[in-house]
Amino acid sequence: MMSRERNLATVPFWIKGLLGIALVMQLIWHQYTPSPRVSIKELTPPPSLEIVKSLSLGDPISTAKVLMLWLQAFDNQSGQFLSNKQLNYQALELWLERILQLDPRAQYPMLAASYQYAHVRDDPKRQRQMLEFVYQQFFADPEHRWMWLAHVAILAKHRLKDLQLALKYAQAITEHATPNMPRWAQEMQIFILEDMGELERAQLVIGGMLTKGNLTDANEIAFLAKKLEELEQKSQTVKQELQK
Amino acid sequence: MLRQIRTLAIYVIQEALLTRFFAVILILLLLGFGLTAFLGQVAIIERQNIQCSLLAAFLRLSAVYAVSLFVITSMVREFNGHMLFLWLSLPLRRSVYFIGKLVGFTLVFSCVALIFSLALLIYAPYQQVSLWGLSLWCELLIVTCVSFLCVLTLHQMLQAFSAVVGFYIVARSIEAIQLMAQSPLNSQNLWQDQLVDGLIQLLAMLLPNLERFTQTGWLVYHSGNFNDLIMITEQTAVYVFLLMIMSLFDLYRKNL
């Protein structure tokens, strides 16, 4: 069978020479080109939902996934790692919101807000902003987003030492509880109230839970009844100490 | 007539094999797996969902790109090599020629839809993958018909492919464009706004809503159902019929 290409020797010598020169020129050009400079780009707010949707070519879910990975990698620019403090949190919040609008069932933006971006050292303002974002987004889908709100309630209690804020989040979980939500998440507010010294309010919450008749697990009923008893005793002790 | 259609279809399949079309498809498949494997490493949670959605999006766009280019280059070669004149000099009706070619292209892109759907079985249940695959098949049928029509009308590869890309982008985004036009921020009082709005409405009426086709959500959240398939099949039947008649109209008008 005839070969599709002729022998190398058939190529004129001047073409081979020029090929070598062209290759060397390219290498020299590259050598003298200034190396890429590290310039940190600031995170700017996202375009409107309509524009993002039209650019997604009718595939908002894939677009949301790509945008989330891009946003997550934004703090790594040209080999430099930015701290969360260097990020524009207003724009960040808008991006997270936009991604959730594109893919409402995604959990990734909620995880990023409550774990990755809520951890800003010595910057409670930004921490609170992310906690509040999770709180606001929880109401759009309590069934699938309660665990993120439970996590930020714990952050508010232990990291920010803001029991009022933790109570607000815990109460939101209880008020929007669904049958698939675990009981411990709904009972978080009891322990926060106890830590706040609001013993009577905690007793009222437990009393409400027991009288509503929603509880079916015997162990859980026994646990709550025992807790109620403990709180009553604790409350009595406090009252007696105050009277003394 | 059936023998003529079969002969034409076989020639299209032979052309696909000779031009190594399926090698390109396999390379695209490997690229898709490579890309999703890389992005899967970056993800902290929802790794499977992310890989599945990105692979599906990549494969869908790759299929549209490869199939439309194959149809256009095949027909341009037919024009430039004067094969079309040769075929039509035989006792062969133009409509038979058109159907034979279309059947050939359909067989080729059916293999593409099948290969890409099988690849997605790694990430999603077979029911949802079947729905996605059938929807991709319908989408590719529309794209094939549009490519055929564009190449019959425009004859040149660059123009025809640009027209197909334009059609696909607008058909995929028409719902979002309509929503943008109806936004309360847009004033409807000026005649220019009303003109643009009317134009968008007209476009929406003339284009198939491809946004509802081949949805990634089916694979990721298993939300697809039989009703989706019925809607897609109906839309495909109506639109492909329109495109076929338009192509035949153009083919019969040609002074060859």
Side-chain angles (χ1 to χ4, degrees):
Chain A
M1 202 175 100
M2 203 172 76
S3 171
R4 291 178 69 182
E5 285 176 4
R6 296 199 294 171
N7 197 304
L8 270 177
T10 55
V11 180
F13 182 75
W14 62 272
I15 290 188
K16 288 179 192 165
L18 282 179
L19 179 66
I21 292 168
L23 186 64
V24 171
M25 274 170 67
Q26 164 60 23
L27 294 175
I28 293 170
W29 174 262
H30 178 76
Q31 199 63 29
Y32 283 95
T33 314
S35 52
R37 288 175 62 194
V38 176
S39 58
I40 306 299
K41 282 182 242 158
E42 200 186 338
L43 187 64
T44 51
S48 71
L49 179 63
E50 287 82 10
I51 290 176
V52 179
K53 265 194 171 175
S54 57
L55 291 176
S56 74
L57 290 185
D59 196 349
I61 294 173
S62 299
T63 308
K65 306 282 184 214
V66 172
L67 284 178
M68 191 58 238
L69 292 180
W70 165 79
L71 189 64
Q72 181 192 292
F74 193 85
D75 54 6
N76 180 6
Q77 289 187 29
S78 313
Q80 293 240 325
F81 284 95
L82 305 183
S83 70
N84 283 349
K85 264 188 179 178
Q86 288 171 279
L87 287 175
N88 175 354
Y89 262 52
Q90 302 299 333
L92 177 72
E93 192 181 327
L94 289 172
W95 274 107
L96 290 170
E97 191 183 349
R98 193 70 76 247
I99 293 165
L100 279 174
Q101 284 168 337
L102 286 171
D103 184 8
R105 291 168 75 173
Q107 300 293 325
Y108 215 130
M110 299 297 282
L111 168 112
S114 56
Y115 279 84
Q116 190 181 346
Y117 299 120
H119 292 238
V120 197
R121 197 168 284 177
D122 306 326
D123 194 344
K125 194 183 161 203
R126 288 179 188 217
Q127 286 181 4
R128 281 173 192 276
Q129 189 181 346
M130 279 299 112
L131 266 52
E132 200 57 24
F133 170 78
V134 173
Y135 174 67
Q136 294 297 337
Q137 295 300 324
F138 161 78
F139 296 106
D141 187 5
E143 173 95 27
H144 297 106
R145 295 182 184 172
W146 63 266
M147 68 282 268
W148 311 115
L149 190 60
H151 176 71
V152 298
I154 292 164
L155 282 185
K157 185 182 165 190
H158 294 288
R159 186 159 298 176
L160 295 175
K161 314 278 183 210
D162 187 341
L163 290 173
Q164 281 294 348
L165 193 65
L167 181 65
K168 183 173 103 171
Y169 297 158
Q171 280 176 335
I173 295 174
T174 312
E175 281 163 20
H176 294 83
T178 60
N180 294 330
M181 215 179 264
R183 296 295 310 176
W184 65 261
Q186 299 174 45
E187 289 159 10
M188 276 175 79
Q189 62 165 325
I190 299 168
F191 303 98
I192 297 171
L193 283 168
E194 189 182 359
D195 288 344
M196 289 168 77
E198 300 268 2
L199 301 176
E200 285 179 1
R201 275 177 72 190
Q203 286 173 56
L204 279 173
V205 171
I206 297 176
M209 282 178 171
L210 290 170
T211 50
K212 264 185 190 169
N214 293 341
L215 301 174
T216 49
D217 187 75
N219 288 336
E220 197 177 347
I221 294 169
F223 168 75
L224 283 176
K226 195 179 165 201
K227 187 75 194 167
L228 185 62
E229 205 175 300
E230 277 174 24
L231 285 170
E232 275 169 0
Q233 282 175 2
K234 212 172 170 181
S235 186
Q236 288 294 332
T237 317
V238 172
K239 274 180 190 168
Q240 282 168 4
E241 278 176 10
L242 282 172
Q243 279 170 359
K244 280 180 192 172
Chain B
M1 190 177 83
L2 280 175
R3 273 184 62 193
Q4 290 173 326
I5 289 173
R6 198 181 67 182
T7 307
L8 279 158
I10 288 169
Y11 271 111
V12 173
I13 295 166
Q14 276 183 352
E15 189 183 353
L17 294 171
L18 288 171
T19 54
R20 298 185 186 133
F21 173 77
F22 291 106
V24 174
I25 294 299
L26 290 178
I27 289 168
L28 287 169
L29 188 63
L30 288 176
L31 268 176
F33 274 120
L35 179 77
T36 49
F38 165 69
L39 292 173
Q41 294 298 314
V42 182
I44 301 169
I45 58 163
E46 296 184 329
R47 180 174 296 176
Q48 190 167 339
N49 284 353
I50 288 172
Q51 286 184 320
C52 182
S53 66
L54 296 182
L55 182 63
F58 179 81
L59 292 181
R60 200 194 67 228
L61 289 176
S62 301
V64 168
Y65 154 80
V67 167
S68 64
L69 261 185
F70 174 67
V71 172
I72 291 168
T73 49
S74 167
M75 288 308 295
V76 167
R77 198 178 296 122
E78 196 102 338
F79 287 130
N80 294 346
H82 301 287
M83 283 297 290
L84 181 65
F85 303 102
L86 182 66
W87 282 116
L88 296 181
S89 67
L90 299 169
L92 180 76
R93 286 212 304 268
R94 292 187 183 200
S95 57
V96 174
Y97 169 80
F98 174 79
I99 292 168
K101 279 283 186 186
L102 192 61
V103 169
F105 291 135
T106 306
L107 289 171
V108 170
F109 76 68
S110 300
C111 295
V112 177
L114 184 70
I115 293 168
F116 284 178
S117 303
L118 289 174
L120 284 164
L121 281 173
I122 301 170
Y123 298 114
Y126 72 92
Q127 299 95 329
Q128 298 295 327
V129 171
S130 311
L131 178 62
W132 188 91
L134 287 170
S135 177
L136 179 67
W137 189 88
C138 291
E139 193 170 328
L140 291 177
L141 182 58
I142 292 177
V143 167
T144 299
C145 289
V146 171
S147 305
F148 212 152
L149 173 65
C150 289
V151 77
L152 280 177
T153 314
L154 302 168
H155 289 260
Q156 301 296 324
M157 206 182 106
L158 180 67
Q159 286 90 327
F161 188 63
S162 305
V164 174
V165 169
F167 163 84
Y168 188 73
I169 289 174
V170 179
R172 270 254 161 211
S173 334
I174 192 68
E175 216 167 81
I177 295 170
Q178 272 183 295
L179 288 172
M180 277 166 84
Q182 287 162 9
S183 161
L185 291 174
N186 286 357
S187 146
Q188 298 292 317
N189 302 327
L190 296 170
W191 68 269
Q192 294 97 321
D193 295 323
Q194 285 178 348
L195 183 74
V196 170
D197 195 40
L199 200 66
I200 290 168
Q201 296 301 332
L202 185 70
L203 261 179
M205 274 194 283
L206 292 174
L207 291 173
N209 188 351
L210 290 185
E211 192 174 335
R212 295 186 186 170
F213 282 57
T214 328
Q215 292 177 33
T216 309
W218 299 338
L219 301 171
V220 176
Y221 301 123
H222 310 160
S223 55
N225 57 51
F226 192 64
N227 291 336
D228 292 320
L229 188 61
I230 290 174
M231 186 279 293
I232 288 164
T233 316
E234 284 171 356
Q235 168 68 92
T236 307
V238 171
Y239 206 72
V240 165
F241 180 68
L242 172 70
L243 289 170
M244 282 174 71
I245 299 299
M246 283 166 74
S247 300
L248 281 173
F249 179 85
D250 206 41
L251 189 60
Y252 270 96
R253 266 192 64 230
K254 282 205 181 307
N255 196 6
L256 297 169

